[in-house]
Structures are given as C-alpha cells and as structure tokens.
Amino acid sequence: CVSARSLRRRSWRRALRRAGLAAMALFDSCDLKAWSAARSRYDTAMSVVAAKKQHQLELLALDAWFNTCRPADPATYVLDPLALSKIVQWKLSRGTFRPGLLQKAQSNSAA
C-alpha cells in the first residue's frame, strides 16, 4: 500500500529531476529568449531560497549587492579584501556554512 505522503514525495522528486534536466538544457542552449526568461524568474527563485534561510534579509541584501556591484571590466579588476569578504559572505549565505572560511578570507591583506 502506498501512502499519499509517499506519492507526494515521489512527485516532488520527479519535479525536481525535471527541473534539473531543464536547467542542464538551458546551460547547453544559446537561446537568448530562454536565458532571458530564466533571468526574469531569478528574483522569485531567490525569494524562495531566502525564505528557507535563517538570515533572510542579509541574504537578499548580499545578493542585491553581488548582482549590481560588478566591475565594468573583470579582466582588470583588482579584488580588495572588503569585496572578497562580501563575496564569501554572499556565498556562505546561499549554501553550506563552512566554519572559518570567512575568517580566512578576512585575514588576507591588500595586495
């Protein structure tokens, strides 16, 4: 006998698998409309991710900073310790916490 909960879990896994396959297809694609459509859903997706995090406002603020404060010419950009620290904070707020990583990034001196 299969429970309703088990069926929901399976359908969720199937949906997740389909979403993963769709994301992989997008990365293989050169279709500008598909990329624009995916980018237009970024803020909604980020809100869903942030809702599951402990420090939601911090994550949204760091994500806004990361997406708006990019250098005009990345080839000539010199990363200062403050920017490196914010990038590490952004990365850690989105994913798995790694103890000590932020402190290591902050301990770097300016070149």
Side-chain angles (χ1 to χ4, degrees):
C1 181
V2 178
S3 70
R5 182 177 182 185
S6 174
L7 287 175
R8 281 194 306 269
R9 193 177 307 136
R10 285 186 204 163
S11 65
W12 178 82
R13 286 181 183 155
R14 254 185 264 124
L16 188 59
R17 201 173 304 126
R18 277 192 301 259
L21 292 174
M24 288 171 50
L26 179 64
F27 278 101
D28 291 337
S29 169
C30 294
D31 183 10
L32 185 59
K33 287 182 182 179
W35 278 98
S36 295
R39 179 63 181 116
S40 70
R41 294 188 301 268
Y42 179 82
D43 292 333
T44 304
M46 195 65 220
S47 297
V48 170
V49 170
K52 298 175 184 176
K53 299 291 181 176
Q54 193 172 23
H55 303 286
Q56 297 173 17
L57 296 178
E58 180 184 359
L59 171 57
L60 293 173
L62 285 167
D63 195 65
W65 171 83
F66 184 77
N67 287 316
T68 57
C69 297
R70 295 199 181 160
D73 184 10
T76 61
Y77 180 70
V78 176
L79 190 63
D80 64 332
L82 181 62
L84 175 64
S85 177
K86 283 191 89 163
I87 291 170
V88 171
Q89 284 177 326
W90 170 80
K91 174 64 179 144
L92 291 175
S93 67
R94 290 174 57 107
T96 305
F97 178 70
R98 292 177 174 83
L101 186 60
L102 183 58
Q103 290 78 14
K104 288 177 185 176
Q106 290 171 338
S107 69
N108 288 322
S109 60

